[in-house]
Amino acid sequence: MAVCIAVIAKENYPLYIRSVPTQNELKFHYTVHTSLDVVEEKISAVGKSLGDQRELYLGLLYPTEDYKVYGYVTNSKVKFVIVVDSSNTSLRDNEIRSMFRKLHNSFTDVMCNPFHNPGDTIQSKAFDGIVSGMMVQTG
Amino acid sequence: MAGSQWELPPELCCRPMAFVALTGLDVVYNAVHRAIWDAFCANRRADRVPISFKVLPGDHEYPKCRTKRTSYEWYIPKGILKTGWMNKHLNLVPALVVLFYELDWDDPQWKEKQSECATKVEIVRTSLQGRNTKVAVVLIQKKTPLPPGEDLVASERAAALCNACDLSGKSLFVLPHTDHLVGYIIRLENAFYEHAQTYYYTEIRRVKSHKEFLNKTTHQLLFVRHQFKIAFFSELKQDTQNALKYYRTAYSLIHELRAHETNMLEIKTMAGFINYKICRLCFQHNTPLDAIAQFRKHIDLCKKKIGSAELAFEHAAWMSKQFQSFGELFDEAIKLGLTAIQTQNPGFYYQQAACYSQDRKQQAQQLCQAGASNPSSEPLETQSGGLDFYGQRPWRQGHQSIDPPDAEKEKNGILALQIKERDVPHSELIIALLSNAVAQFKKYKCPRMKSHLMVQMGEEYYHAKDYTKALKLLDYVMCDYRTERWWGLLTAILTTALRCAYLMASVKDYIIYCMELLGRASTLKEEQESRIEKNLLKVLANEVPDAEPDCDPSSVTAARSLWSDRMALAGSNELTVEVQDYIPFIQCKAKFQSPSFHVDQPIQLQVFLRADCPHLISFNKLAVSLSNQEYNQWCVVESSGEESMSLLPGKTKCFNFSFVAKTEDVGKKIEITGIEVMLGSDRGRCVFVSWRGAGGDAASTHEALMASRSSRRWGRSMEARQEPDWDSLTVQHSTMIISRVPKISVQLSHQPPALHNEMYCISLTVQSQEEGVAKDLKLTAGLKPGQDANLGQTTHVTLDGSKVCDDSAPALLPDIPLGDLKPGEKLERSVYVKCESCGPRVFLFHVAYSIDTTVEGRQIVCKCHKDETVTIETVIPFDVSVKFVSTKFESLDRVAVDIPFLLMTDILSSSPWPLQLVSSSLELLTVTSNTPQLQSQIQEVVLQTGECASECFCLRCPPQSNSNSTVATGQYLISWKRKSSSADSPLIQTTVTLPHIILESVPLYIHAELPSFGRVRESLSVRYHIENRTALVQEVEMAVEPSDAFMFSGLKQVRLRILPGSEQQMLYNYYPLMAGYQTLPQLNISLPRCPTTNTHSLRRFLPQRIFVKPQGRQLDDASIAAA
C-alpha cells in the first residue's frame, strides 16, 4: 500500500498530494518533486521514438533507501506518482498498475465534473476516498 | 580530522603491486647507479609490468618472520586482520631482493670481487631469514657482452659466481652500462616480475596449507583472515579473477561470524573492507552491475547491525562511509569510461551518504549530551598509538568473548567516544557530501534533485550557523520552486530563509521573506502569518522583531543584539524591494481604461491593490511611473497627515488617476513602467514595494491564464457586482494617444470612371462643423502612397484644370494651404488628375487643421485631420482601328509604289460618357497625301457609348529607292474632350501610331477612265491608260473578251510597245445592253518580257463592274405636264 499519492499537473505543479500523516509530509513532497526529473526524462525519451503509442505506466522511477517511487503519465501529461515503502516487498508490479488505473479513472471523473476547473487543485470527496483506499492504513 | 576514524586505509584503496627491493645502488653519489634507478622509476605506464621498486641499503633489516606455528590446537585468534599486514606486504616484505654489483668478466681482481659479492648476498639472505623472498644478483658491467656461448671466460666465471653465491643461473643477470639502458632495464624487470609471481604463488600455497589445521569453533576468524590474505596475495600476483573469488568467499565467511555488541564494529569494518575490494574489482572487470548488486547486498546485510545503542552514531558514520566510498568508486569508473544513467549514478550514493551523515549528527546530538567535561581520553589511547587489529576497541584489544571484560572501562570508553563525536564537524561532512551529489545530479539531468539537495545544503549551513551561505543557496533554488508552483516546498524554504535572515539581522532579506510568507503562495497557518505580519510591522516601525520559533536560544540572543545595533544605526532607513519575481502579500494590477485615448480626452488609469495578509495593512504612498515622466506627478496618491491608506485582507482596492496628455504625444504610446507602494513612514522605516511594468508578480501570469479558462467566471459575476473579480482583472500596461476626432466633412464629387489621359476633375467640398475656427487648413491630395510604384509614374495631379498637365506634375500634392474655416463655412476645390495607364487607383484626400479646445480647464491646441479615400478606375475612351484599302475598297496586304490607296480609321467609343471629337489629323511619314489638303471628316462629332466614327484618306506612296520593304506611315491624332466638360476645358490629344505598310513596285500600271455610271443603249467611252514603270521597252498584248451585257467598239486584240516611263491609251466605246450592276468586258493583258506580271495581277487596278441605269425617258414638256 502506498505511503504517498500525488497528482501533478502538466506544468509540473501539484494538483493533489497526500501522504500518510505519521511521517514527515515535507519529505514526501520533495520525493515526489524530485521524481519528476525521471518522469520528464522518460516522457521525452518516449516522445522521440514512438510518438503517441505510449505506455502510460512508467514503472519504477527510482529507488531510494526507504521508498520506491512509481510513475504514470496520462495522455494530457498529467502525472501520477505513488510512493511505496521499500520494506513492502509483497506489492507486485501488477498491483501498482491497477492502483494507477483506479487513480486515473477517478481522476477522469473529477475532470468530467463541469464545476471543476482544469488546472485547479483537486477537491473531490470521491477522489479522496479512492486515494484513502490505496494508502497505508495507520492507527 | 575527526572523521578519519572511518576513512578506509590507503593500503586498502591502492592497487597492490609486486614489491621488489633493489640493493647495492648508490643513487646519491654514483651517476651510473642514479641512471639505472631512474630507468626503473621513470615512465611507469600501463605497458610496464606492475612492480613497485624501492632502493634499500644492502644491510637493510626486513621485518622479522615469526616462528612457524606447528599446530593451531591451542591458538585462539585475537582478531580478524592485523592493521599492519597489508602495508607489510606492500611496502616492507619484498617478493624479490636484487643485489647490484659492479663487476666485469675480465676484472683483474676477479677473485676478490667474487667473494665480496658472495658476502653481500649472504648478508641479504640472513636478514630475510625464514621468508620465501627470492634473491637475485645483477652485475653492472662496462663492456657490451658478447653473444652467449662465445665468451668462454664469461660462462666459466658466471658459473663460479653462482656457485659462490649459492644462486641458480636464472637469478644472475648482467646489465651492461651502455647505450640501450632502458631496453635492458625492461628486460630485467620482466625477469623480476616472473620471480615475484613465483614468490606470491608460494605465499598463497603457504596460507592455503594452514587450512587443514583449523577448526570451525575456535578459528572462525582465521577462516576470514586466510581468505583475505589469499585474495590479497592474488591481487599482488595480478590475478584479479581469483582475488575476486577469494574476497567473495571471505565476505560470505565474515557474515557467518557470531556477531555481538563487542565485535560488531570489527565485523562491520572488515566487511566494509572486503566489500570495497569486491566492488573495486568488479568495476575494474567492467561489470558495474555486479558491483552494484554486491553493494546492495552488503548494505542490506549490514543496515540492521547497529551494535551498541549508545554508539548508534558510529553505525550511521560507517554507513555513510560505505555509500561515500562506493560513490567514489563509481565516479572513478565513470572517469575511466563507464557510462552512468539518470537513475543510477554516483549522486544517489553521495546523497545517501549525506543522509546517513545527517542521521549521525542527529544521533550524536541525542547521545552525546552527558558528560560536559572530558574525564580523560585515556581509554582511547593505546601503547603503540594505534590498534593491532582493524575495528577493535582500544581499551580491550584482542578481546573476543561476548561480554566486555571490564564494565567500568567499557563505560568510560563509550563516554570518551561520545565526547570525541561531539567535536566532529558534522555539518561540514554533510555539506561536502551534498555538494558531491549536486555535482553528479547536475551531470545526469536531475534539476529538481539538485535543487532539493541544495535546499538540504542550505539547511545544513543554517545549522552550522553560516547564514550567509545558507541564504545564498536557498535564494538560488527558491525561484525554481516558485516557477514550478510547489507552494508547500517554497513555504518551507522561505521559513528557513526567514530564520537565517532574522539571525543575521538582514533587514532587507527579512522583509522580503516576510512579504512572501504572507503572500498567497504561502501555506502557513493563520496564526503563523499573524505573527509574521506583526514582526513585519515592527521592522517597519524600526523595532526589533520577535524571534522565529525553533531557533537556537543562544543564537537568538546574539541576533537580538545585532538587531538592536541595526536599529540604532541612523540612515539607510529607506529601501526598495523589487517584487516582480516574488509573490508578495500585496498584489498589484494597473490598467489604462482604454487602449487608446483622444488627445482631447483625459487619460484614465486605474491601479488595483489587494492584500493577502491576515490583518489590515496600511501604506502611505502609491506612485505610478510612466514612460513619459512628466505625467508621473498626476499619478501619485499620498496619505494626508495622520491618516494613512489601508488595505483590508482579501479586498480589492481601486485607485483612479486621470491626466491630460500633451499634444506632442499624439501618436505616441504611454506605458506604465513601474508602480511603487510605500510601506512604513519616515519615522520608522520606509519600504518601497516596487513592481516593474503594470504590476503582476511571479504567479500572476498563471493565475490570469487560469482565470481566462475558468468556468466560475460567469457564476461569480452575478454575486459580486461591486467588487471586481481579482483574477479576471486584466492588465493594460500601455495606451496610445491619438489625435482628436475631426469635426469637418470632406465630400468628393466626380464622374467616374476616369478616361485615359484626360484631365479628370474631382471636386472637393470641405465643410466645418467645428464650434471654433478651424485654422490653417491644409489639403494633401493625390495618389495614396503605398500602391504599385508604376502608378506613381503614370499619375499626375494638379490644381490647374485649364491645360493638360505634363509629366512634371507630381502624383501627390502635399500640404496645399486652404486658409481658415469659420464654423459652418464651406470650401470647394477642384483637383485634376491625369492617368496615363488604365486600372484602379486609390486617391487620398487628407485635410488637416488645428483648433483650440479646452480639456478639463486646460487650453490645448489640437491638430485634427480627416482622410477621405476614393478608388477610381481609369478606362480607354475609345478604340481606334486603322486599315489600308485600295481605291476599290479592297483590303491591301501590300501597297504598290506610286499608286493611290486609302486609309480608313474607325473610332469606337467605349466611354460611358458622351465624347466630343474636336478634330483629327494625320502626320504622315514616307507616304504623301493624294489630295492637296487633308481635311478632318469628324470635326465636332459627338459619340455616345458604343458609337463609331470613321474617316477615310487617300494616300500615295512616292517611289522609293529601296522598294519592297516595310515602311512606317506616321501617326493619327485625335483631339477630343468630354461632352459634359466646360468650353474652356483643355482638349485632349490622343495619338495613334499607324501601322507599317509593305511596299511593292509594279512594272506596268493600268488604270481606266470611265464615267461613274452608264445608261442602257447609250454609248459609254472608257479610256485605259497603260504606263510602263520599268526602264525597259515593254511589249504588251491586250485582248478584250466579249461580254453579254455590252457591245463595244475598239481594238479587240492588239500588240503594242511602250517606251520606258511613257504611257499608251486605249479607247473603247461600250454600249450597255442591260441595266444594273454589270461586269465590264474583261481586259486580258500579258507582258511577254516580264512573265511574273500577268493579267490577274494587273487586273486589280481596273474596275470590275459598272452600274448601268435603265433607259430614261426623254424629258419633255408633255411628260412634265402629264406628271
Side-chain angles (χ1 to χ4, degrees), chain B residues 1058-1074:
Chain B
I1058 309 174
L1059 292 176
S1062 66
E1063 69 162 48
Q1064 281 284 339
Q1065 292 184 6
M1066 301 290 292
L1067 183 71
Y1068 290 91
N1069 281 315
Y1070 291 146
Y1071 191 74
L1073 301 175
M1074 287 181 268

Side-chain angles (χ1 to χ4, degrees), chain B residues 18-20 95-96 191-201 237:
Chain B
F19 175 39
V20 172
L96 173 72
F192 295 165
Y193 182 60
E194 260 171 53
H195 280 292
Q197 295 263 37
T198 331
Y199 166 75
Y200 290 120
Y201 175 70
K237 200 179 155 238

Side-chain angles (χ1 to χ4, degrees), chain B residues 1088-1104:
Chain B
R1089 296 251 179 106
C1090 192
T1092 48
T1093 314
N1094 54 16
T1095 314
H1096 195 73
S1097 65
L1098 290 173
R1099 211 181 270 161
R1100 66 191 153 131
F1101 301 119
L1102 294 174
Q1104 296 289 306

Side-chain angles (χ1 to χ4, degrees), chain B residues 390 409 462 508:
Chain B
Y390 284 117
K409 244 185 176 174
Y462 162 70
K508 189 169 179 181

Side-chain angles (χ1 to χ4, degrees), chain B residues 659-675:
Chain B
F659 58 91
V660 179
K662 294 191 179 313
T663 43
E664 305 93 271
D665 278 352
V666 171
K668 286 186 191 157
K669 218 176 208 183
I670 298 184
E671 259 178 279
I672 303 174
T673 51
I675 299 167

Side-chain angles (χ1 to χ4, degrees), chain B residues 931-956:
Chain B
T931 44
Q933 202 163 14
L934 278 178
Q935 181 124 34
S936 174
Q937 294 138 342
I938 53 164
Q939 269 177 18
E940 304 304 323
V941 170
V942 174
L943 285 181
Q944 300 293 335
T945 313
E947 283 181 344
C948 185
S950 295
E951 269 189 294
C952 181
F953 302 95
C954 187
L955 305 176
R956 171 196 288 271

Side-chain angles (χ1 to χ4, degrees), chain B residues 760-1005:
Chain B
Y760 184 65
C761 175
I762 302 169
S763 25
L764 180 83
T765 312
V766 182
Q767 181 159 28
S768 168
Q769 281 127 23
E770 293 283 0
E771 281 149 20
V773 178
K775 286 186 286 194
D776 231 1
L777 246 71
K778 274 181 182 154
L779 168 70
T780 299
L783 197 66
K784 191 179 180 186
Q787 299 181 75
D788 189 350
N790 290 334
L791 289 181
Q793 302 288 323
T794 56
T795 310
H796 306 286
V797 182
T798 176
L799 290 176
D800 180 11
S802 62
K803 62 179 191 316
V804 176
C805 66
D806 54 7
D807 286 356
S808 63
L812 180 71
L813 285 175
D815 296 332
I816 306 154
L818 300 179
D820 294 352
L821 204 60
K822 292 198 183 68
E825 212 176 12
K826 212 180 202 176
L827 188 143
E828 279 186 44
R829 274 286 184 286
S830 288
V831 175
Y832 296 90
V833 177
K834 183 180 168 201
C835 302
E836 293 176 350
S837 65
C838 294
R841 283 172 175 75
V842 182
F843 289 93
L844 169 73
F845 296 88
H846 170 97
V847 180
Y849 64 98
S850 57
I851 188 156
D852 296 336
T853 52
T854 42
V855 189
E856 301 209 316
R858 269 157 50 93
Q859 273 278 324
I860 56 167
V861 178
C862 291
K863 288 205 160 61
C864 305
H865 63 87
K866 175 119 184 172
D867 284 357
E868 277 295 325
T869 55
V870 63
T871 306
I872 297 173
E873 187 87 23
T874 304
V875 297
I876 294 279
F878 45 76
D879 284 316
V880 178
S881 59
V882 176
K883 61 184 182 203
F884 296 103
V885 293
S886 69
T887 44
K888 286 161 69 186
F889 292 96
E890 286 166 349
S891 72
L892 287 175
D893 49 352
R894 44 191 63 211
V895 171
V897 175
D898 209 19
I899 293 167
F901 63 93
L902 298 176
L903 168 71
M904 302 271 300
T905 60
D906 292 321
I907 301 167
L908 174 67
S909 164
S910 53
S911 149
W913 307 97
L915 295 179
Q916 182 173 10
L917 301 177
V918 179
S919 70
S920 68
S921 62
L922 279 177
E923 270 178 20
L924 294 172
L925 280 170
T926 319
V927 291
T928 54
S929 172
N930 205 31
T931 44
Q933 202 163 14
L934 278 178
Q935 181 124 34
S936 174
Q937 294 138 342
I938 53 164
Q939 269 177 18
E940 304 304 323
V941 170
V942 174
L943 285 181
Q944 300 293 335
T945 313
E947 283 181 344
C948 185
S950 295
E951 269 189 294
C952 181
F953 302 95
C954 187
L955 305 176
R956 171 196 288 271
C957 184
Q960 296 286 310
S961 52
N962 53 339
S963 58
N964 214 8
S965 63
T966 312
V967 293
T969 44
Q971 285 178 324
Y972 179 48
L973 308 173
I974 306 157
S975 296
W976 58 276
K977 60 181 188 178
R978 282 191 190 216
K979 178 82 175 62
S980 57
S981 65
S982 59
D984 56 345
S985 61
L987 291 178
I988 304 118
Q989 192 153 61
T990 301
T991 307
V992 180
T993 306
L994 297 174
H996 290 205
I997 50 171
I998 306 167
L999 291 180
E1000 66 172 347
S1001 53
V1002 286
L1004 201 72
Y1005 175 53

